[in-house]
Every structure is written in structure tokens, then in C-alpha cells.
Amino acid sequence: MITGEIRSRVDAIWNAMWTGGLSNPATVMEQLTLLLFLKGLDETQTRAERQARARGTAIERNLFPDGHDGIPIVGENGEKVADGRPFTDLRWARFATLAPADMQEAAENHLIPFLRRLGSDGAPLRKHMASARYEIPTGRLLAKVVDLLTDLPMEKRDTKGDLYEYMLSKVASAGQNGQFRTPRHIIELMVAMTEPRRDDVICDPACGTAGFLVGAAEYLRKNDPGAWTDPEARLHVESAMFHGHDFDGTMLRLGAMNMALHGFEDAAILYRDSLTEEHGDEAEAYSLILANPPFAGSLDTEAVARDLTRIVNTRKTELLFLALFLRLLKRGGRAAVVVPDGVLFGSNKAHKEVRRMLIEDQQLQGVVKLPAGVFRPYAGVSTAILLFQRTDSGGTEGVWFYDLHADGLSLDDKRNLLVPEDKIGPWAELTEAEAALNDLPDALARWREREGAETERPRTARSFVVPKGEIAAAGYDLSLNRYREIEHDAVEHEPPAEILSRLREMEREIFDGLDELEAMLAENSVKEAAE
């Protein structure tokens, strides 16, 4: 968790970008990512040089070679100043000292070609950064942002990762294709429920900024630190465990950088249109899928990958993604994915078939109903988390349902904290009052008892288990309210005779009052006449 002082520095960077003319948060984030990548390259080169000196050998790969790039340097008046810019001008220590106009010329004309040259080695992050665009409008703004980034403490992995996550949290608008950040505490809940292991191969087929992959990595660091001391396990974790796909170049750059700053530069963050491309090369490749894919309606029939329509004949993206998850999972593989509510109770043939498949052919384990405001301000739709395992032989005996009412933040567009920041998420230790504002620890605790004490809970409780046969008889409806029993408070009514007796008494009192009023008025009339 970053401190208030560091938050203030990050806020200052964002404010500088906004006041400098970059109003799109995604563009701001991409430009910051570009500069952070350049800064990271210089740090990597410095470490390599230090190690080479210590060994008395030549550096293995010189990211900033001697010589210049051959791209003419153009002055402010458009005249040619030099035949090329030295590669060393792009080393952060040198770049940060250039005059604003010179710094802007280096960034506008030399930075992207330099990154394209680096990206030719095939490393995912360098490859994605090579397709970036430089969009900071003035040298004055660039120089200010570079100064502010230089002051950020990014020596430690934890700090770098937290800083970047905080920057990503400021991207407060959805992307063109419906991407938006899943709240970190919701990710933590889904990750904790699936319990990533050191031998897992994990995929998010719509990874965006790679929040789920980062969440799984951090869970593993916390719960299995031995995976980093076992050479074989560490090699798998750092180079083969994490896979993310997206078809938005900006998201790929943000996701790859997010993984790199958390210590996973070799994570396979790759371009892929998951619903339109065939999946033969990765069918049954993953043991764990974590995802909150964009649900954008329907695709053209011709565009949908045929191996998905063979699983479920539909054009609806929410159902195609579920088919995709089943296609990618190994037998025995598990998944925690977010779906819109319509998946749970949709009445058309494809909806029913997908639910039947999850229950009869695979093992559907749980449904967590989320409050409608959990993804605000991006979307206010009602959603749920589906937890299932691919078995290809059934295995569903009962489905655990949980009705999550509160996640520790207000459910309006502001999403203000209702509990302290360190008590957001499934691991928090809460007071009784705080527990009423954050259901996540309770949800995790009850999930772990789904085959034990949870099976005895009444249908009036927050969570309960419904037998498979009952769900099948209900047309495989997975809406929680279909199975919930509402407990009505007993109300005692007085016997009718007592009520009638009291009404008659009230009636007599009214008539007596009217008689007294009539007598008083008559007496007053007599007095007035005598006078």
C-alpha cells in the first residue's frame, strides 16, 4: 500500500497531464507507461553494466549501444541539426537532463523507432511498447512529468507494483470495447476462492490491464513463498504460469507493464481476439481461468470462432466467453468468472444449454450474486461470479449461492470507502459494524464450508446450497431469488369482537362530545339574545 506522500506525487503527475492538454485517462496512462518503460530500460542497463564490471566481462546485451540512430535531429525552425541522435540520449539519466525542446524532439522523433528496434527480440513487453504512440504535446509538459517520475521511489518491486496499480485506478472511463478495471478487492475474492497453486497455468482471455494475473501472482507470493526458492517452480512461475489475451493495443501495453512491474516481465501478454480466432493451439492448455470479459452484445455469425459455436450455437458474447473458458480449460481445471445476470436466468435455448452444460456435464460449484453498483462508475448492470470446474463427466451435486450485499465501498458512482482502506477485501479482520459494510471475508469463509456447514443453512440465510435435482427441475435457473425463502414476521391481531367494542366506545365518546358542544352553543345563543 502506498503512502499519502507518494499518492500526492502520483496525483501531481496526473494533474500536470490533464492541465497540459491530455484529458483522456487511457491516453495519460499510456504515456506514463511509455516513460516508465524508458526509465526501466535504463535501470536494466545500469544493473547489467554493474554485473559485467563485477565479473570482468562484456555486457551481454547493450540496450543503448554506442553510436547514433541515423534519424536526423531537426531544430525548432525545421532545420537539420545533426545526422542522428546518440542512443545514450534516451537513457533516463541523460534524457531527464535535456532541455525541454531537445527532450521533446528526442521523444517525438527518436523514442518510438528506438523501441521498435528493441521490440524485435520478441519479449512481450518490448514488443507491445514498440507499437505505442507518443502523444505528449509540449516539451514543457514532458520535462515536468519526467522530473516528477524521476522523484518516484520505484526501487522495490512491491512499491513499483503498488504505484502502477494506483495509477491504473485513475483510469476512470471505459475503453472503446467495453474494458474497465475490475475492482482489486473483487479480484482478490475470486483469486482466494480458486486458490492458485505453483503448478497452475493461469489465463485471462480478456486481460485488459492484467489485474487478475497480478492478483494470482500476489496470492502465490503470500501463500507459497517457497515457489520462489525452488528453482524448477520459480522458472515455471516467472516464465510459463501467466497468460493474458486482448485485442486492444493500449490494454496490452498496460497489462504487460503491470506484470513487469510486479516481477513478471516474461508473462505471455499477447494479442488475440478470443471470440473470433480458432483455439486449437491452446485448447485444454490452462488449469485456472480468472476473467471479467467485456459483454458487448452479439457478434456477426461469420465472425465467431467455429470451435466455440460447436460448444454452444449462439452469437451472444456472454455465452461465447463461457464456451471459450470450457475450451481453454484442462480437465480438472477450474474457473472464477464474472457474468451478467442474464446468463443466470435467460430463457432462450442457448442460455439454458450453457447452464445445463455447466451443471450436467461439468461441475458448477458456486454462484455469488454481486450488488449492481460494484462496477460503477463504468457500469451499473447486475452481475454474478460463477465458480466451476471442467470435468467432462459431471459432478455437480449441489450449487452454493451467496448474496453479496456490500463490498466496503458505496454503491453509487462515487464509490467512497465505507471502511478503512486496509479493511477492504476478503482478508480483512472486521468489527461487527464493519462486517455489515464488507461481505467479502464472510463470503470467503462460507465458500470454504460449502461442503460442510453451508449445506445445513436454511434458504432464508445469506448463503445456502441447492441440490442439483432442484435446479434441473427449475429449468437450470441459477438466479438466487428463485430458491430463497422469505421469512415473514408473525403479526398478532386483536380479536374482531374487541376491535368492534373499542370502536363502539369511541363512537359513544364522539356523540357525547357533540351533545356537550350543542348544549354550549345553545346556552351562548340565549345569553346573546338577552343582552
Side-chain angles (χ1 to χ4, degrees), residues 5-25:
E5 179 185 355
I6 298 176
R7 282 173 182 261
S8 297
R9 294 184 190 180
V10 174
D11 292 344
I13 294 171
W14 275 77
N15 289 335
M17 290 289 232
W18 288 334
T19 56
L22 293 178
S23 58
N24 185 330

mmCIF file of all heavy atoms in Angstrom, residues 5-25:
data_model
loop_
_atom_site.group_PDB
_atom_site.id
_atom_site.type_symbol
_atom_site.label_atom_id
_atom_site.label_comp_id
_atom_site.label_asym_id
_atom_site.label_seq_id
_atom_site.Cartn_x
_atom_site.Cartn_y
_atom_site.Cartn_z
ATOM 1 N N GLU A 5 2.059 10.545 0.909
ATOM 2 C CA GLU A 5 3.013 11.403 0.214
ATOM 3 C C GLU A 5 3.230 10.939 -1.219
ATOM 4 O O GLU A 5 3.253 11.731 -2.158
ATOM 5 C CB GLU A 5 4.349 11.401 0.969
ATOM 6 C CG GLU A 5 5.414 12.264 0.305
ATOM 7 C CD GLU A 5 6.762 12.159 0.992
ATOM 8 O OE1 GLU A 5 6.845 11.486 2.045
ATOM 9 O OE2 GLU A 5 7.731 12.736 0.471
ATOM 10 N N ILE A 6 3.372 9.609 -1.397
ATOM 11 C CA ILE A 6 3.604 9.084 -2.746
ATOM 12 C C ILE A 6 2.345 9.244 -3.588
ATOM 13 O O ILE A 6 2.406 9.557 -4.785
ATOM 14 C CB ILE A 6 4.054 7.612 -2.679
ATOM 15 C CG1 ILE A 6 5.375 7.503 -1.907
ATOM 16 C CG2 ILE A 6 4.207 7.035 -4.071
ATOM 17 C CD1 ILE A 6 5.851 6.083 -1.691
ATOM 18 N N ARG A 7 1.178 9.043 -2.969
ATOM 19 C CA ARG A 7 -0.080 9.281 -3.689
ATOM 20 C C ARG A 7 -0.121 10.719 -4.203
ATOM 21 O O ARG A 7 -0.547 10.980 -5.337
ATOM 22 C CB ARG A 7 -1.271 9.057 -2.765
ATOM 23 C CG ARG A 7 -1.635 7.599 -2.532
ATOM 24 C CD ARG A 7 -2.723 7.524 -1.469
ATOM 25 N NE ARG A 7 -3.066 6.152 -1.176
ATOM 26 C CZ ARG A 7 -4.128 5.521 -1.685
ATOM 27 N NH1 ARG A 7 -4.921 6.152 -2.501
ATOM 28 N NH2 ARG A 7 -4.378 4.270 -1.370
ATOM 29 N N SER A 8 0.292 11.635 -3.370
ATOM 30 C CA SER A 8 0.275 13.049 -3.762
ATOM 31 C C SER A 8 1.180 13.292 -4.962
ATOM 32 O O SER A 8 0.850 14.088 -5.854
ATOM 33 C CB SER A 8 0.712 13.931 -2.587
ATOM 34 O OG SER A 8 -0.189 13.806 -1.511
ATOM 35 N N ARG A 9 2.317 12.590 -5.003
ATOM 36 C CA ARG A 9 3.219 12.750 -6.144
ATOM 37 C C ARG A 9 2.587 12.212 -7.420
ATOM 38 O O ARG A 9 2.697 12.823 -8.492
ATOM 39 C CB ARG A 9 4.537 12.020 -5.877
ATOM 40 C CG ARG A 9 5.359 12.611 -4.742
ATOM 41 C CD ARG A 9 6.687 11.874 -4.630
ATOM 42 N NE ARG A 9 7.422 12.238 -3.428
ATOM 43 C CZ ARG A 9 8.602 11.739 -3.098
ATOM 44 N NH1 ARG A 9 9.169 10.843 -3.886
ATOM 45 N NH2 ARG A 9 9.217 12.113 -1.997
ATOM 46 N N VAL A 10 1.929 11.060 -7.311
ATOM 47 C CA VAL A 10 1.245 10.491 -8.482
ATOM 48 C C VAL A 10 0.116 11.419 -8.917
ATOM 49 O O VAL A 10 -0.069 11.670 -10.114
ATOM 50 C CB VAL A 10 0.708 9.081 -8.174
ATOM 51 C CG1 VAL A 10 -0.129 8.561 -9.338
ATOM 52 C CG2 VAL A 10 1.856 8.120 -7.884
ATOM 53 N N ASP A 11 -0.642 11.938 -7.957
ATOM 54 C CA ASP A 11 -1.725 12.870 -8.282
ATOM 55 C C ASP A 11 -1.181 14.102 -9.008
ATOM 56 O O ASP A 11 -1.813 14.617 -9.942
ATOM 57 C CB ASP A 11 -2.458 13.303 -7.011
ATOM 58 C CG ASP A 11 -3.236 12.162 -6.363
ATOM 59 O OD1 ASP A 11 -3.461 11.132 -7.042
ATOM 60 O OD2 ASP A 11 -3.603 12.288 -5.182
ATOM 61 N N ALA A 12 0.000 14.558 -8.573
ATOM 62 C CA ALA A 12 0.605 15.729 -9.215
ATOM 63 C C ALA A 12 0.949 15.434 -10.676
ATOM 64 O O ALA A 12 0.799 16.301 -11.554
ATOM 65 C CB ALA A 12 1.856 16.154 -8.447
ATOM 66 N N ILE A 13 1.410 14.216 -10.944
ATOM 67 C CA ILE A 13 1.730 13.825 -12.329
ATOM 68 C C ILE A 13 0.468 13.842 -13.174
ATOM 69 O O ILE A 13 0.444 14.388 -14.281
ATOM 70 C CB ILE A 13 2.388 12.431 -12.352
ATOM 71 C CG1 ILE A 13 3.756 12.478 -11.668
ATOM 72 C CG2 ILE A 13 2.533 11.929 -13.786
ATOM 73 C CD1 ILE A 13 4.386 11.114 -11.444
ATOM 74 N N TRP A 14 -0.618 13.237 -12.637
ATOM 75 C CA TRP A 14 -1.876 13.211 -13.386
ATOM 76 C C TRP A 14 -2.418 14.617 -13.596
ATOM 77 O O TRP A 14 -2.896 14.951 -14.681
ATOM 78 C CB TRP A 14 -2.894 12.342 -12.654
ATOM 79 C CG TRP A 14 -2.742 10.904 -13.002
ATOM 80 C CD1 TRP A 14 -1.793 10.048 -12.539
ATOM 81 C CD2 TRP A 14 -3.529 10.164 -13.924
ATOM 82 N NE1 TRP A 14 -1.956 8.812 -13.108
ATOM 83 C CE2 TRP A 14 -3.010 8.848 -13.959
ATOM 84 C CE3 TRP A 14 -4.628 10.457 -14.720
ATOM 85 C CZ2 TRP A 14 -3.543 7.843 -14.757
ATOM 86 C CZ3 TRP A 14 -5.177 9.465 -15.517
ATOM 87 C CH2 TRP A 14 -4.630 8.175 -15.533
ATOM 88 N N ASN A 15 -2.343 15.450 -12.577
ATOM 89 C CA ASN A 15 -2.839 16.817 -12.719
ATOM 90 C C ASN A 15 -2.046 17.573 -13.776
ATOM 91 O O ASN A 15 -2.599 18.362 -14.549
ATOM 92 C CB ASN A 15 -2.762 17.551 -11.374
ATOM 93 C CG ASN A 15 -3.779 17.033 -10.382
ATOM 94 O OD1 ASN A 15 -4.810 16.489 -10.762
ATOM 95 N ND2 ASN A 15 -3.497 17.187 -9.089
ATOM 96 N N ALA A 16 -0.724 17.343 -13.807
ATOM 97 C CA ALA A 16 0.108 18.001 -14.816
ATOM 98 C C ALA A 16 -0.307 17.576 -16.218
ATOM 99 O O ALA A 16 -0.396 18.397 -17.145
ATOM 100 C CB ALA A 16 1.578 17.665 -14.576
ATOM 101 N N MET A 17 -0.587 16.281 -16.397
ATOM 102 C CA MET A 17 -1.006 15.774 -17.706
ATOM 103 C C MET A 17 -2.342 16.394 -18.122
ATOM 104 O O MET A 17 -2.521 16.819 -19.273
ATOM 105 C CB MET A 17 -1.126 14.254 -17.664
ATOM 106 C CG MET A 17 0.206 13.530 -17.537
ATOM 107 S SD MET A 17 1.187 13.636 -19.053
ATOM 108 C CE MET A 17 1.573 11.920 -19.342
ATOM 109 N N TRP A 18 -3.290 16.421 -17.187
ATOM 110 C CA TRP A 18 -4.619 16.952 -17.504
ATOM 111 C C TRP A 18 -4.557 18.439 -17.857
ATOM 112 O O TRP A 18 -5.139 18.885 -18.827
ATOM 113 C CB TRP A 18 -5.577 16.721 -16.340
ATOM 114 C CG TRP A 18 -5.971 15.281 -16.189
ATOM 115 C CD1 TRP A 18 -5.994 14.323 -17.165
ATOM 116 C CD2 TRP A 18 -6.400 14.626 -15.001
ATOM 117 N NE1 TRP A 18 -6.390 13.113 -16.661
ATOM 118 C CE2 TRP A 18 -6.656 13.260 -15.330
ATOM 119 C CE3 TRP A 18 -6.599 15.031 -13.685
ATOM 120 C CZ2 TRP A 18 -7.095 12.326 -14.403
ATOM 121 C CZ3 TRP A 18 -7.049 14.102 -12.749
ATOM 122 C CH2 TRP A 18 -7.288 12.763 -13.111
ATOM 123 N N THR A 19 -3.862 19.196 -17.020
ATOM 124 C CA THR A 19 -3.763 20.635 -17.291
ATOM 125 C C THR A 19 -2.921 20.915 -18.527
ATOM 126 O O THR A 19 -3.045 21.968 -19.135
ATOM 127 C CB THR A 19 -3.158 21.376 -16.084
ATOM 128 O OG1 THR A 19 -1.879 20.801 -15.765
ATOM 129 C CG2 THR A 19 -4.067 21.280 -14.873
ATOM 130 N N GLY A 20 -2.075 19.940 -18.903
ATOM 131 C CA GLY A 20 -1.251 20.099 -20.102
ATOM 132 C C GLY A 20 -1.965 19.729 -21.384
ATOM 133 O O GLY A 20 -1.376 19.815 -22.469
ATOM 134 N N GLY A 21 -3.215 19.298 -21.306
ATOM 135 C CA GLY A 21 -3.986 19.055 -22.514
ATOM 136 C C GLY A 21 -4.344 17.609 -22.788
ATOM 137 O O GLY A 21 -5.005 17.320 -23.785
ATOM 138 N N LEU A 22 -3.918 16.659 -21.933
ATOM 139 C CA LEU A 22 -4.272 15.247 -22.133
ATOM 140 C C LEU A 22 -5.433 14.912 -21.206
ATOM 141 O O LEU A 22 -5.239 14.647 -20.021
ATOM 142 C CB LEU A 22 -3.071 14.343 -21.847
ATOM 143 C CG LEU A 22 -1.894 14.468 -22.818
ATOM 144 C CD1 LEU A 22 -0.753 13.566 -22.399
ATOM 145 C CD2 LEU A 22 -2.323 14.120 -24.230
ATOM 146 N N SER A 23 -6.643 14.909 -21.748
ATOM 147 C CA SER A 23 -7.828 14.736 -20.905
ATOM 148 C C SER A 23 -8.347 13.303 -20.879
ATOM 149 O O SER A 23 -9.176 12.965 -20.039
ATOM 150 C CB SER A 23 -8.950 15.670 -21.386
ATOM 151 O OG SER A 23 -9.257 15.400 -22.748
ATOM 152 N N ASN A 24 -7.894 12.454 -21.793
ATOM 153 C CA ASN A 24 -8.338 11.062 -21.824
ATOM 154 C C ASN A 24 -7.486 10.243 -20.853
ATOM 155 O O ASN A 24 -6.270 10.114 -21.054
ATOM 156 C CB ASN A 24 -8.200 10.503 -23.244
ATOM 157 C CG ASN A 24 -8.754 9.092 -23.359
ATOM 158 O OD1 ASN A 24 -8.737 8.320 -22.402
ATOM 159 N ND2 ASN A 24 -9.236 8.754 -24.539
ATOM 160 N N PRO A 25 -8.089 9.679 -19.794
ATOM 161 C CA PRO A 25 -7.291 8.946 -18.805
ATOM 162 C C PRO A 25 -6.497 7.786 -19.397
ATOM 163 O O PRO A 25 -5.375 7.511 -18.964
ATOM 164 C CB PRO A 25 -8.339 8.443 -17.801
ATOM 165 C CG PRO A 25 -9.487 9.378 -17.954
ATOM 166 C CD PRO A 25 -9.505 9.759 -19.388
#
